[in-house]
mmCIF file of all heavy atoms in Angstrom:
data_model
loop_
_atom_site.group_PDB
_atom_site.id
_atom_site.type_symbol
_atom_site.label_atom_id
_atom_site.label_comp_id
_atom_site.label_asym_id
_atom_site.label_seq_id
_atom_site.Cartn_x
_atom_site.Cartn_y
_atom_site.Cartn_z
ATOM 1 N N LEU N 1 -123.796 81.331 -42.305
ATOM 2 C CA LEU N 1 -124.953 81.932 -42.124
ATOM 3 C C LEU N 1 -126.163 81.008 -42.113
ATOM 4 O O LEU N 1 -127.214 81.080 -41.321
ATOM 5 C CB LEU N 1 -125.283 82.941 -43.187
ATOM 6 C CG LEU N 1 -126.496 83.923 -43.082
ATOM 7 C CD1 LEU N 1 -126.549 84.723 -41.756
ATOM 8 C CD2 LEU N 1 -126.572 84.802 -44.286
ATOM 9 N N LEU N 2 -126.185 79.940 -42.953
ATOM 10 C CA LEU N 2 -127.091 78.924 -42.905
ATOM 11 C C LEU N 2 -127.271 78.227 -41.680
ATOM 12 O O LEU N 2 -128.372 78.024 -41.165
ATOM 13 C CB LEU N 2 -126.650 77.892 -44.048
ATOM 14 C CG LEU N 2 -127.616 76.689 -44.315
ATOM 15 C CD1 LEU N 2 -128.902 77.275 -45.012
ATOM 16 C CD2 LEU N 2 -126.981 75.694 -45.235
ATOM 17 N N ALA N 3 -126.140 78.005 -40.872
ATOM 18 C CA ALA N 3 -126.275 77.443 -39.557
ATOM 19 C C ALA N 3 -126.971 78.339 -38.622
ATOM 20 O O ALA N 3 -127.804 77.921 -37.734
ATOM 21 C CB ALA N 3 -124.935 77.166 -39.012
ATOM 22 N N LEU N 4 -126.810 79.738 -38.734
ATOM 23 C CA LEU N 4 -127.485 80.676 -37.870
ATOM 24 C C LEU N 4 -128.993 80.596 -38.185
ATOM 25 O O LEU N 4 -129.776 81.048 -37.366
ATOM 26 C CB LEU N 4 -126.930 82.076 -38.213
ATOM 27 C CG LEU N 4 -125.454 82.319 -37.634
ATOM 28 C CD1 LEU N 4 -124.998 83.786 -38.107
ATOM 29 C CD2 LEU N 4 -125.415 82.195 -36.165
ATOM 30 N N ARG N 5 -129.371 80.332 -39.250
ATOM 31 C CA ARG N 5 -130.768 80.499 -39.752
ATOM 32 C C ARG N 5 -131.644 79.323 -39.213
ATOM 33 O O ARG N 5 -132.885 79.371 -39.311
ATOM 34 C CB ARG N 5 -130.887 80.502 -41.288
ATOM 35 C CG ARG N 5 -130.478 81.883 -41.686
ATOM 36 C CD ARG N 5 -130.913 82.127 -43.216
ATOM 37 N NE ARG N 5 -130.837 83.462 -43.559
ATOM 38 C CZ ARG N 5 -130.560 83.964 -44.847
ATOM 39 N NH1 ARG N 5 -130.381 83.153 -45.823
ATOM 40 N NH2 ARG N 5 -130.593 85.236 -44.944
ATOM 41 N N VAL N 6 -130.910 78.406 -38.674
ATOM 42 C CA VAL N 6 -131.742 77.189 -38.027
ATOM 43 C C VAL N 6 -132.729 77.750 -36.992
ATOM 44 O O VAL N 6 -133.912 77.121 -36.873
ATOM 45 C CB VAL N 6 -130.818 76.233 -37.294
ATOM 46 C CG1 VAL N 6 -131.514 75.100 -36.794
ATOM 47 C CG2 VAL N 6 -129.899 75.561 -38.523
ATOM 48 N N ASN N 7 -132.402 78.689 -36.220
ATOM 49 C CA ASN N 7 -133.234 79.234 -35.081
ATOM 50 C C ASN N 7 -134.228 80.213 -35.511
ATOM 51 O O ASN N 7 -134.873 80.820 -34.742
ATOM 52 C CB ASN N 7 -132.345 79.667 -34.026
ATOM 53 C CG ASN N 7 -131.456 78.539 -33.366
ATOM 54 O OD1 ASN N 7 -132.052 77.433 -33.232
ATOM 55 N ND2 ASN N 7 -130.349 78.816 -33.008
ATOM 56 N N VAL N 8 -134.203 80.703 -36.834
ATOM 57 C CA VAL N 8 -135.095 81.730 -37.274
ATOM 58 C C VAL N 8 -136.476 81.177 -37.440
ATOM 59 O O VAL N 8 -136.724 80.140 -38.124
ATOM 60 C CB VAL N 8 -134.601 82.306 -38.636
ATOM 61 C CG1 VAL N 8 -135.718 83.395 -39.152
ATOM 62 C CG2 VAL N 8 -133.356 83.124 -38.378
ATOM 63 N N LEU N 9 -137.450 81.783 -36.810
ATOM 64 C CA LEU N 9 -138.886 81.230 -36.869
ATOM 65 C C LEU N 9 -139.617 81.808 -38.076
ATOM 66 O O LEU N 9 -139.185 82.804 -38.698
ATOM 67 C CB LEU N 9 -139.722 81.688 -35.645
ATOM 68 C CG LEU N 9 -139.035 81.292 -34.255
ATOM 69 C CD1 LEU N 9 -139.906 81.723 -33.148
ATOM 70 C CD2 LEU N 9 -139.110 79.705 -34.345
ATOM 71 N N GLU N 10 -140.631 81.174 -38.512
ATOM 72 C CA GLU N 10 -141.484 81.516 -39.734
ATOM 73 C C GLU N 10 -142.367 82.728 -39.259
ATOM 74 O O GLU N 10 -142.685 82.830 -38.053
ATOM 75 C CB GLU N 10 -142.358 80.390 -40.214
ATOM 76 C CG GLU N 10 -143.199 80.639 -41.316
ATOM 77 C CD GLU N 10 -142.342 81.124 -42.568
ATOM 78 O OE1 GLU N 10 -141.842 80.346 -43.296
ATOM 79 O OE2 GLU N 10 -142.357 82.422 -42.770
ATOM 80 N N SER N 11 -142.732 83.536 -40.149
ATOM 81 C CA SER N 11 -143.663 84.674 -39.933
ATOM 82 C C SER N 11 -145.177 84.187 -39.552
ATOM 83 O O SER N 11 -145.640 83.103 -40.157
ATOM 84 C CB SER N 11 -143.830 85.403 -41.240
ATOM 85 O OG SER N 11 -144.994 86.147 -41.169
ATOM 86 N N ILE N 12 -145.458 84.676 -38.344
ATOM 87 C CA ILE N 12 -146.820 84.228 -37.849
ATOM 88 C C ILE N 12 -147.944 84.631 -38.850
ATOM 89 O O ILE N 12 -148.920 83.803 -39.051
ATOM 90 C CB ILE N 12 -147.198 84.790 -36.516
ATOM 91 C CG1 ILE N 12 -146.182 84.348 -35.408
ATOM 92 C CG2 ILE N 12 -148.526 84.621 -36.006
ATOM 93 C CD1 ILE N 12 -146.177 84.973 -34.072
ATOM 94 N N ILE N 13 -147.803 85.763 -39.399
ATOM 95 C CA ILE N 13 -148.680 86.196 -40.556
ATOM 96 C C ILE N 13 -148.801 85.235 -41.701
ATOM 97 O O ILE N 13 -149.976 84.915 -42.032
ATOM 98 C CB ILE N 13 -148.341 87.624 -41.015
ATOM 99 C CG1 ILE N 13 -148.592 88.587 -39.899
ATOM 100 C CG2 ILE N 13 -149.105 87.930 -42.228
ATOM 101 C CD1 ILE N 13 -148.123 90.124 -40.302
ATOM 102 N N PHE N 14 -147.640 84.690 -42.105
ATOM 103 C CA PHE N 14 -147.660 83.682 -43.064
ATOM 104 C C PHE N 14 -148.434 82.430 -42.622
ATOM 105 O O PHE N 14 -149.186 81.889 -43.430
ATOM 106 C CB PHE N 14 -146.257 83.426 -43.681
ATOM 107 C CG PHE N 14 -146.184 82.295 -44.545
ATOM 108 C CD1 PHE N 14 -146.605 82.502 -45.908
ATOM 109 C CD2 PHE N 14 -145.853 80.908 -44.120
ATOM 110 C CE1 PHE N 14 -146.523 81.330 -46.782
ATOM 111 C CE2 PHE N 14 -145.876 79.880 -45.039
ATOM 112 C CZ PHE N 14 -146.240 80.044 -46.410
ATOM 113 N N ASP N 15 -148.020 81.954 -41.477
ATOM 114 C CA ASP N 15 -148.665 80.713 -40.949
ATOM 115 C C ASP N 15 -150.238 80.859 -40.948
ATOM 116 O O ASP N 15 -150.911 80.008 -41.231
ATOM 117 C CB ASP N 15 -148.094 80.477 -39.623
ATOM 118 C CG ASP N 15 -146.708 79.824 -39.554
ATOM 119 O OD1 ASP N 15 -146.362 79.262 -40.612
ATOM 120 O OD2 ASP N 15 -146.011 79.947 -38.523
ATOM 121 N N LEU N 16 -150.656 81.969 -40.366
ATOM 122 C CA LEU N 16 -152.051 82.148 -40.349
ATOM 123 C C LEU N 16 -152.724 82.299 -41.856
ATOM 124 O O LEU N 16 -153.836 81.712 -42.098
ATOM 125 C CB LEU N 16 -152.437 83.471 -39.693
ATOM 126 C CG LEU N 16 -152.095 83.585 -38.166
ATOM 127 C CD1 LEU N 16 -152.303 84.922 -37.570
ATOM 128 C CD2 LEU N 16 -152.978 82.541 -37.385
ATOM 129 N N SER N 17 -151.957 82.895 -42.726
ATOM 130 C CA SER N 17 -152.434 83.048 -44.201
ATOM 131 C C SER N 17 -152.563 81.578 -44.735
ATOM 132 O O SER N 17 -153.375 81.398 -45.462
ATOM 133 C CB SER N 17 -151.469 83.818 -44.864
ATOM 134 O OG SER N 17 -151.735 83.890 -46.239
ATOM 135 N N LEU N 18 -151.580 80.713 -44.359
ATOM 136 C CA LEU N 18 -151.592 79.454 -44.981
ATOM 137 C C LEU N 18 -152.822 78.618 -44.656
ATOM 138 O O LEU N 18 -153.452 77.961 -45.375
ATOM 139 C CB LEU N 18 -150.310 78.717 -44.531
ATOM 140 C CG LEU N 18 -149.857 77.480 -45.362
ATOM 141 C CD1 LEU N 18 -149.665 77.826 -46.843
ATOM 142 C CD2 LEU N 18 -148.543 76.842 -44.693
ATOM 143 N N LYS N 19 -153.282 78.880 -43.420
ATOM 144 C CA LYS N 19 -154.492 78.195 -42.864
ATOM 145 C C LYS N 19 -155.709 78.635 -43.620
ATOM 146 O O LYS N 19 -156.705 77.862 -43.755
ATOM 147 C CB LYS N 19 -154.665 78.442 -41.373
ATOM 148 C CG LYS N 19 -153.615 77.823 -40.595
ATOM 149 C CD LYS N 19 -153.744 78.210 -39.022
ATOM 150 C CE LYS N 19 -152.729 77.481 -38.328
ATOM 151 N NZ LYS N 19 -152.803 77.864 -36.777
ATOM 152 N N LYS N 20 -155.724 79.875 -44.168
ATOM 153 C CA LYS N 20 -156.747 80.348 -44.883
ATOM 154 C C LYS N 20 -156.764 80.068 -46.407
ATOM 155 O O LYS N 20 -157.632 80.425 -47.134
ATOM 156 C CB LYS N 20 -156.993 81.871 -44.745
ATOM 157 C CG LYS N 20 -156.890 82.525 -43.304
ATOM 158 C CD LYS N 20 -156.888 83.965 -43.410
ATOM 159 C CE LYS N 20 -156.623 84.520 -41.931
ATOM 160 N NZ LYS N 20 -156.358 85.972 -41.977
ATOM 161 N N ARG N 21 -155.695 79.613 -46.770
ATOM 162 C CA ARG N 21 -155.211 79.660 -48.268
ATOM 163 C C ARG N 21 -156.252 78.776 -49.106
ATOM 164 O O ARG N 21 -156.388 79.283 -50.291
ATOM 165 C CB ARG N 21 -153.868 79.097 -48.462
ATOM 166 C CG ARG N 21 -153.148 79.420 -49.760
ATOM 167 C CD ARG N 21 -152.971 80.809 -49.903
ATOM 168 N NE ARG N 21 -152.165 81.477 -48.838
ATOM 169 C CZ ARG N 21 -150.935 81.449 -48.816
ATOM 170 N NH1 ARG N 21 -150.241 81.043 -49.879
ATOM 171 N NH2 ARG N 21 -150.251 82.167 -48.012
ATOM 172 N N ASN N 22 -156.831 77.771 -48.594
ATOM 173 C CA ASN N 22 -157.793 76.944 -49.457
ATOM 174 C C ASN N 22 -158.962 77.899 -50.033
ATOM 175 O O ASN N 22 -159.404 77.751 -51.079
ATOM 176 C CB ASN N 22 -158.325 75.708 -48.700
ATOM 177 C CG ASN N 22 -157.202 74.685 -48.514
ATOM 178 O OD1 ASN N 22 -156.246 74.598 -49.289
ATOM 179 N ND2 ASN N 22 -157.309 73.853 -47.470
ATOM 180 N N ALA N 23 -159.359 78.789 -49.096
ATOM 181 C CA ALA N 23 -160.494 79.659 -49.467
ATOM 182 C C ALA N 23 -160.014 80.884 -50.351
ATOM 183 O O ALA N 23 -160.809 81.398 -51.101
ATOM 184 C CB ALA N 23 -161.193 80.188 -48.190
ATOM 185 N N LYS N 24 -158.775 81.261 -50.191
ATOM 186 C CA LYS N 24 -158.353 82.476 -50.887
ATOM 187 C C LYS N 24 -157.072 82.212 -51.740
ATOM 188 O O LYS N 24 -156.133 83.042 -51.705
ATOM 189 C CB LYS N 24 -158.001 83.506 -49.850
ATOM 190 C CG LYS N 24 -159.335 84.015 -49.131
ATOM 191 C CD LYS N 24 -159.073 85.129 -48.211
ATOM 192 C CE LYS N 24 -160.302 85.601 -47.389
ATOM 193 N NZ LYS N 24 -159.930 86.733 -46.482
ATOM 194 N N SER N 25 -156.911 81.086 -52.363
ATOM 195 C CA SER N 25 -155.774 80.778 -53.233
ATOM 196 C C SER N 25 -155.845 81.721 -54.316
ATOM 197 O O SER N 25 -156.784 81.811 -55.130
ATOM 198 C CB SER N 25 -155.867 79.298 -53.659
ATOM 199 O OG SER N 25 -154.807 78.981 -54.493
ATOM 200 N N VAL N 26 -154.682 82.341 -54.603
ATOM 201 C CA VAL N 26 -154.519 83.365 -55.715
ATOM 202 C C VAL N 26 -153.269 83.018 -56.517
ATOM 203 O O VAL N 26 -152.169 83.056 -55.955
ATOM 204 C CB VAL N 26 -154.376 84.822 -55.252
ATOM 205 C CG1 VAL N 26 -154.205 85.818 -56.413
ATOM 206 C CG2 VAL N 26 -155.651 85.190 -54.502
ATOM 207 N N PRO N 27 -153.368 82.501 -57.771
ATOM 208 C CA PRO N 27 -152.258 82.195 -58.576
ATOM 209 C C PRO N 27 -151.342 83.433 -58.772
ATOM 210 O O PRO N 27 -151.762 84.479 -58.920
ATOM 211 C CB PRO N 27 -152.877 81.687 -60.045
ATOM 212 C CG PRO N 27 -154.302 81.574 -59.677
ATOM 213 C CD PRO N 27 -154.699 82.302 -58.553
ATOM 214 N N TRP N 28 -149.996 83.118 -58.835
ATOM 215 C CA TRP N 28 -149.039 84.193 -58.806
ATOM 216 C C TRP N 28 -149.126 85.102 -60.204
ATOM 217 O O TRP N 28 -148.986 86.247 -60.237
ATOM 218 C CB TRP N 28 -147.553 83.625 -58.853
ATOM 219 C CG TRP N 28 -147.266 82.749 -59.983
ATOM 220 C CD1 TRP N 28 -147.456 81.427 -60.104
ATOM 221 C CD2 TRP N 28 -146.565 83.206 -61.210
ATOM 222 N NE1 TRP N 28 -146.831 80.982 -61.297
ATOM 223 C CE2 TRP N 28 -146.368 82.006 -61.983
ATOM 224 C CE3 TRP N 28 -146.125 84.403 -61.686
ATOM 225 C CZ2 TRP N 28 -145.828 82.125 -63.254
ATOM 226 C CZ3 TRP N 28 -145.639 84.496 -62.902
ATOM 227 C CH2 TRP N 28 -145.410 83.367 -63.748
ATOM 228 N N TRP N 29 -149.560 84.381 -61.317
ATOM 229 C CA TRP N 29 -149.676 85.068 -62.657
ATOM 230 C C TRP N 29 -150.737 86.143 -62.634
ATOM 231 O O TRP N 29 -150.695 87.010 -63.529
ATOM 232 C CB TRP N 29 -149.881 84.124 -63.778
ATOM 233 C CG TRP N 29 -151.078 83.277 -63.684
ATOM 234 C CD1 TRP N 29 -152.391 83.627 -64.042
ATOM 235 C CD2 TRP N 29 -151.177 81.937 -63.328
ATOM 236 N NE1 TRP N 29 -153.266 82.541 -63.856
ATOM 237 C CE2 TRP N 29 -152.478 81.536 -63.317
ATOM 238 C CE3 TRP N 29 -150.199 81.081 -62.762
ATOM 239 C CZ2 TRP N 29 -152.986 80.197 -62.985
ATOM 240 C CZ3 TRP N 29 -150.587 79.709 -62.412
ATOM 241 C CH2 TRP N 29 -152.019 79.275 -62.481
ATOM 242 N N THR N 30 -151.587 86.106 -61.549
ATOM 243 C CA THR N 30 -152.772 87.216 -61.635
ATOM 244 C C THR N 30 -152.033 88.529 -61.220
ATOM 245 O O THR N 30 -152.807 89.603 -61.336
ATOM 246 C CB THR N 30 -153.893 86.906 -60.524
ATOM 247 O OG1 THR N 30 -153.276 86.683 -59.150
ATOM 248 C CG2 THR N 30 -154.503 85.498 -60.898
ATOM 249 N N ILE N 31 -150.895 88.560 -60.828
ATOM 250 C CA ILE N 31 -150.061 89.826 -60.708
ATOM 251 C C ILE N 31 -150.081 90.607 -62.036
ATOM 252 O O ILE N 31 -150.311 91.826 -62.092
ATOM 253 C CB ILE N 31 -148.699 89.601 -60.290
ATOM 254 C CG1 ILE N 31 -148.661 89.020 -58.907
ATOM 255 C CG2 ILE N 31 -147.805 90.996 -60.290
ATOM 256 C CD1 ILE N 31 -147.175 88.527 -58.585
ATOM 257 N N PHE N 32 -150.108 89.845 -63.163
ATOM 258 C CA PHE N 32 -150.077 90.552 -64.476
ATOM 259 C C PHE N 32 -151.392 90.558 -65.124
ATOM 260 O O PHE N 32 -151.536 91.178 -66.130
ATOM 261 C CB PHE N 32 -149.007 89.733 -65.293
ATOM 262 C CG PHE N 32 -147.690 89.649 -64.704
ATOM 263 C CD1 PHE N 32 -147.178 88.535 -64.135
ATOM 264 C CD2 PHE N 32 -146.810 90.818 -64.606
ATOM 265 C CE1 PHE N 32 -145.927 88.416 -63.469
ATOM 266 C CE2 PHE N 32 -145.749 90.780 -64.063
ATOM 267 C CZ PHE N 32 -145.178 89.551 -63.471
ATOM 268 N N THR N 33 -152.360 89.701 -64.685
ATOM 269 C CA THR N 33 -153.664 89.659 -65.412
ATOM 270 C C THR N 33 -154.761 90.555 -64.699
ATOM 271 O O THR N 33 -155.752 90.950 -65.183
ATOM 272 C CB THR N 33 -154.231 88.159 -65.495
ATOM 273 O OG1 THR N 33 -154.350 87.717 -64.227
ATOM 274 C CG2 THR N 33 -153.273 87.408 -66.290
ATOM 275 N N ASP N 34 -154.467 90.859 -63.294
ATOM 276 C CA ASP N 34 -155.449 91.716 -62.605
ATOM 277 C C ASP N 34 -154.924 93.137 -62.683
ATOM 278 O O ASP N 34 -153.746 93.493 -62.345
ATOM 279 C CB ASP N 34 -155.551 91.219 -61.114
ATOM 280 C CG ASP N 34 -156.382 92.035 -60.372
ATOM 281 O OD1 ASP N 34 -155.950 93.117 -59.787
ATOM 282 O OD2 ASP N 34 -157.628 91.749 -60.262
ATOM 283 N N ARG N 35 -155.681 94.074 -63.246
ATOM 284 C CA ARG N 35 -155.272 95.435 -63.390
ATOM 285 C C ARG N 35 -154.756 96.188 -62.215
ATOM 286 O O ARG N 35 -153.741 96.769 -62.249
ATOM 287 C CB ARG N 35 -156.530 96.233 -64.058
ATOM 288 C CG ARG N 35 -156.071 97.632 -64.466
ATOM 289 C CD ARG N 35 -157.372 98.327 -65.202
ATOM 290 N NE ARG N 35 -156.899 99.675 -65.626
ATOM 291 C CZ ARG N 35 -157.048 100.727 -64.843
ATOM 292 N NH1 ARG N 35 -157.475 100.681 -63.603
ATOM 293 N NH2 ARG N 35 -156.510 101.994 -65.360
ATOM 294 N N SER N 36 -155.443 95.942 -61.109
ATOM 295 C CA SER N 36 -154.994 96.657 -59.783
ATOM 296 C C SER N 36 -153.637 96.117 -59.438
ATOM 297 O O SER N 36 -152.738 96.933 -58.979
ATOM 298 C CB SER N 36 -156.055 96.466 -58.721
ATOM 299 O OG SER N 36 -155.502 96.947 -57.498
ATOM 300 N N ARG N 37 -153.453 94.877 -59.474
ATOM 301 C CA ARG N 37 -152.128 94.274 -59.109
ATOM 302 C C ARG N 37 -151.003 94.623 -59.978
ATOM 303 O O ARG N 37 -149.892 94.955 -59.521
ATOM 304 C CB ARG N 37 -152.300 92.786 -58.969
ATOM 305 C CG ARG N 37 -153.067 92.317 -57.795
ATOM 306 C CD ARG N 37 -153.369 90.803 -57.806
ATOM 307 N NE ARG N 37 -154.455 90.440 -56.978
ATOM 308 C CZ ARG N 37 -155.311 89.448 -57.084
ATOM 309 N NH1 ARG N 37 -155.142 88.701 -58.168
ATOM 310 N NH2 ARG N 37 -156.221 89.248 -56.256
ATOM 311 N N LEU N 38 -151.267 94.691 -61.288
ATOM 312 C CA LEU N 38 -150.335 95.113 -62.409
ATOM 313 C C LEU N 38 -149.820 96.357 -62.156
ATOM 314 O O LEU N 38 -148.584 96.740 -62.219
ATOM 315 C CB LEU N 38 -150.858 94.772 -63.681
ATOM 316 C CG LEU N 38 -149.894 95.201 -64.887
ATOM 317 C CD1 LEU N 38 -148.584 94.287 -64.808
ATOM 318 C CD2 LEU N 38 -150.515 94.999 -66.234
#
């Protein structure tokens, strides 16, 4: 299966998100510190 995954492309949504990330970086632990996310 690892060999089959060579041709799998990355999510376009993620690629676009990565370009915005410097302005909207959110630490993973805020899942538990932000009331709405928790």
